[in-house]
């Protein structure tokens, strides 16, 4: 009898903890969920330093001879965990590293000098050196703001890279305005100061989700609340970053550096992207005719969440094509 009660309370307690957490701290639960998922996928969170500047990253596997290491750079106001769905579909033999971008999540929050695209590239370069990733050419993946950073990194440090994958990268001159740009222009005219990318109510967040994802998500109110709770303390920081990356210096960084990219380039874009317009893909193709472009049907801006399996497959195929090309080149020389 006692045993029964005991096992009963053992079962009741986690369930109760779960329910109270979900009701009162939904944000904490979402973080626990990411922790659980990283754990399941075999990713370990680590820190590295440049002086007193701290980088937080997660990684799986070790650098190997067969395939290049892969470094993944997330977008504005996201974290390294946005790549979890993609990593789920990557072979475990690949060495994968996801880093929190400057000021985001576990990486040091300093000032605007680290938030411009140039500043971020400088910090990512330090990160690469701090974990010795530059000992052998690696594959760099970046999405949105992280795509802008990845492209500029590729132009600055061609010898570091075996290749680059840009997923709906920011930083180009787009022939067509995205829905976001149209809204921002309207906001400017009406001199409102709320920015669609920096929600401060559940309603604004729901709008942002709708803008970012083509697939309707219909997130429960508690999940929205949790996401919002985790974002709100960072809204001041997000505003600072937003001003930097949309400022004169950074807005077209990728465009200005395109001609310096040497490593093989892959471009992945959702055809229904309402944040960064898909017309950018043609700009990249025109400047770098050898790049490989994949435009995904029924996919919005959050490519890594909407079509993770597809993204993983495209990257793996691209890497093995590089390998074959590399070996052919060796045979010829
Ligand atoms: C920080 O990074 C820079 C550039 O990679 C490097 O020259 C410098 O030695 C690093 N400093 C420390 C303390 O690691």
């Amino acid at each position: 009898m006692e045993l029964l009660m005991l096992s009963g309370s053992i079962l009741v307690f986690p369930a109760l903890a779960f329910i109270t957490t979900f009701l009162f701290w939904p944000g904490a639960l979402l973080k626990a969920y990411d922790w659980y998922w990283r754990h399941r996928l075999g990713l370990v969170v680590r820190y590295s330093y440049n002086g007193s500047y701290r980088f937080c990253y997660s990684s799986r596997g070790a650098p190997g001879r067969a395939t290049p290491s892969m470094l993944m750079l997330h977008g504005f106001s996201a974290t390294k965990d946005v790549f979890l769905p993609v990593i789920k579909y990557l072979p475990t033999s690949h060495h994968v590293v996801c880093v929190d971008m400057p000021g985001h999540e576990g990486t040091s929050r300093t000032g605007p000098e680290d938030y411009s695209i140039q500043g971020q590239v400088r910090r990512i370069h330090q990160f690469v050196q701090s974990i010795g990733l530059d000992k052998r050419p690696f594959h760099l993946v970046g999405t949105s703001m992280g795509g802008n950073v990845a492209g500029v990194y590729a132009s600055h440090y061609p010898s570091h890279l075996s290749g680059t994958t840009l997923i709906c990268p920011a930083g180009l001159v787009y022939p067509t305005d995205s829905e976001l740009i149209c809204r921002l222009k309207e906001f400017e005219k009406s001199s409102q100061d709320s920015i669609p990318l920096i929600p401060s109510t559940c309603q604004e967040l729901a709008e942002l989700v709708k803008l970012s994802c083509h697939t309707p998500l219909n997130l429960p109110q508690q999940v929205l609340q949790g996401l919002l709770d985790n974002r709100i303390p960072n809204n001041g920081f997000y505003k600072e970053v937003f001003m930097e990356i949309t400022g004169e210096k950074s807005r077209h960084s990728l465009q200005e550096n395109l001609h310096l990219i040497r490593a093989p380039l892959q471009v992945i874009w959702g055809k229904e992207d309402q944040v960064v317009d898909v017309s950018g893909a043609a700009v990249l193709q025109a400047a770098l005719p050898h790049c490989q472009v994949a435009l995904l049907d029924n996919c919005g801006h959050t490519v890594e969440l909407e079509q993770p399996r597809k993204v993983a497959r495209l990257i793996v195929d691209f890497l093995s094509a590089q390998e074959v090309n590399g070996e052919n080149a060796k045979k010829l020389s």
Side-chain angles (χ1 to χ4, degrees):
M1 182 67 200
E2 250 166 57
L3 205 69
L4 211 75
M5 272 172 65
L6 193 68
S7 66
S9 63
I10 287 172
L11 283 179
V12 166
F13 180 72
L16 208 62
F18 182 85
I19 292 165
T20 45
T21 310
F22 195 55
L23 287 178
F24 298 109
W25 301 288
L29 197 73
L30 290 177
K31 285 191 177 169
Y33 182 68
D34 279 343
W35 177 89
Y36 168 77
W37 211 10
R38 277 197 304 262
H39 190 72
R40 273 292 296 271
L41 294 176
L43 284 151
V44 180
V45 174
R46 295 191 170 88
Y47 297 93
S48 75
Y49 295 84
N50 182 276
S52 59
Y53 192 93
R54 184 179 80 168
F55 297 98
C56 177
Y57 65 104
S58 64
S59 67
R60 181 172 81 183
R65 303 227 162 255
T67 48
S69 299
M70 211 183 290
L71 173 60
M72 303 185 140
L73 309 180
H74 65 75
F76 171 74
S77 80
T79 73
K80 58 188 174 311
D81 293 325
V82 295
F83 293 109
L84 290 174
V86 175
I87 292 172
K88 182 176 168 203
Y89 295 108
L90 288 176
T92 49
S93 54
H94 281 61
H95 178 219
V96 195
V97 180
C98 304
V99 64
D100 284 326
M101 298 299 279
H104 290 74
E105 189 91 339
T107 293
S108 292
R109 193 166 285 184
T110 48
E113 71 280 5
D114 286 328
Y115 306 154
S116 67
I117 296 302
Q118 285 297 343
Q120 296 195 52
V121 168
R122 199 161 49 234
R123 284 297 183 190
I124 295 303
H125 178 231
Q126 294 175 354
F127 171 68
V128 163
Q129 292 192 314
S130 73
I131 63 164
L133 208 57
D134 55 336
K135 293 203 179 99
R136 209 173 302 150
F138 63 93
H139 188 80
L140 185 60
V141 179
T143 171
S144 199
M145 173 192 82
N148 194 352
V149 175
V152 175
Y153 191 101
S155 71
H156 284 24
Y157 306 104
S159 66
H160 278 188
L161 301 184
S162 61
T164 311
T165 299
L166 303 181
I167 306 175
C168 47
L172 295 169
V173 177
Y174 304 86
T176 312
D177 279 347
S178 69
E179 174 63 25
L180 172 70
I181 298 295
C182 295
R183 285 193 206 174
L184 285 174
K185 283 182 177 167
E186 267 166 44
F187 277 118
E188 238 166 66
K189 266 188 255 154
S190 62
S191 64
Q192 256 181 292
D193 66 339
S194 79
I195 302 168
L197 291 182
I198 308 177
S200 48
T201 64
C202 271
Q203 165 132 36
E204 286 173 0
L205 179 61
E207 274 299 308
L208 174 60
V209 171
K210 235 168 81 190
L211 188 72
S212 311
C213 308
H214 178 69
T215 329
L217 287 185
N218 296 323
L219 297 174
Q221 190 65 22
Q222 285 296 328
V223 171
L224 276 179
Q225 190 62 51
L227 290 170
L228 190 68
D229 289 351
N230 289 345
R231 291 181 62 101
I232 280 185
N234 300 311
N235 275 3
F237 160 70
Y238 293 154
K239 225 164 257 178
E240 263 187 275
V241 176
F242 185 80
M243 296 323 276
E244 271 308 310
I245 60 179
T246 57
E248 223 27 59
K249 240 182 6 181
S250 295
R251 187 183 304 198
H252 299 138
S253 288
L254 179 53
Q255 186 78 44
E256 289 154 8
N257 287 283
L258 266 189
H259 62 289
L260 298 171
I261 295 181
R262 296 279 172 271
L265 178 67
Q266 177 182 42
V267 178
I268 304 176
W269 222 304
K271 283 187 187 166
E272 314 295 338
D273 194 332
Q274 298 194 83
V275 176
V276 182
D277 195 74
V278 65
S279 57
V283 175
L284 289 168
Q285 183 100 72
L288 302 158
H290 295 298
C291 75
Q292 188 199 85
V293 179
L295 304 182
L296 310 187
D297 289 318
N298 300 316
C299 184
H301 186 61
T302 49
V303 185
E304 67 285 352
L305 298 179
E306 292 180 69
Q307 302 203 6
R309 188 198 295 259
K310 179 104 198 195
V311 170
R313 217 203 57 223
L314 283 168
I315 294 176
V316 168
D317 287 352
F318 186 72
L319 287 179
S320 37
Q322 296 316 310
E323 238 170 85
V324 172
N325 286 347
E327 264 160 37
N328 287 348
K330 255 186 254 160
K331 274 182 215 149
L332 284 175
S333 63

